[in-house]
Amino acid sequence: MSNRQTLAPDAAEIERLADAAIAHLPEPFRAHLDGVVLRIDEFAEEAVLAELGIDDPFELTGLYTGRPVGEQSSLDSGRMPAIIHLYRRPLLDEWVETGVTLESLITHVIVHEVGHHFGLSDGDMHAIEEQG
């Protein structure tokens, strides 16, 4: 019997999987992601959850903050960079509850947040998913 303990993926592993998901996006999308920061946190900050009207921090697995590509201008100098936030604990919780692979779940969240970077709303993305 092994004494090896299996641990939940840490932030570095979540980042590695997210980087792999981004690397598999079509080149036209990846080309517009230069300068977008990938940030892994345990949970969203309470102020973010309150702003979004979310009571349970486990309900938010990812978030895009920043201006969509089509709204950016040369006057944006000095602004905070666009950020794709991934929330490790909610991701792990959803992974366990749904039974999908962690790679698939992170890819789904990354694609969703990249969609926001390109100016798509949640409704737009749900419509696209339903067509597929």
Side-chain angles (χ1 to χ4, degrees):
M1 187 164 147
S2 172
N3 288 339
R4 193 176 141 233
Q5 182 179 4
T6 303
L7 302 173
D10 62 9
E13 179 64 8
I14 300 293
E15 183 173 6
R16 186 189 70 73
L17 294 170
D19 286 339
I22 291 168
H24 285 94
L25 292 172
E27 174 54 33
F29 292 98
R30 285 195 325 267
H32 291 283
L33 294 176
D34 282 348
V36 175
V37 175
L38 179 62
R39 181 175 168 164
I40 315 299
D41 292 310
E42 291 297 296
F43 290 101
E45 295 177 6
E46 287 188 31
V48 170
L49 295 170
E51 184 179 323
L52 296 173
I54 298 173
D55 294 323
D56 182 354
F58 282 95
E59 290 182 19
L60 188 62
T61 56
L63 181 69
Y64 172 79
T65 56
R67 292 181 64 171
V69 170
E71 296 177 16
Q72 296 174 4
S73 79
S74 60
L75 302 176
D76 287 343
S77 177
R79 276 190 192 264
M80 293 292 292
I83 303 173
I84 293 176
H85 304 261
L86 295 180
Y87 301 115
R88 189 183 83 87
R89 295 281 310 279
L91 282 165
L92 296 179
D93 200 58
E94 187 169 328
W95 173 45
V96 169
E97 287 180 2
T98 62
V100 301
T101 66
L102 187 56
E103 293 84 354
S104 294
L105 176 59
I106 289 173
T107 296
H108 173 79
V109 175
I110 286 289
V111 167
H112 185 90
E113 302 315 329
V114 167
H116 287 309
H117 179 62
F118 285 95
L120 298 174
S121 69
D122 286 337
D124 294 335
M125 286 183 274
H126 289 299
I128 291 167
E129 287 175 352
E130 287 175 7
Q131 290 175 0

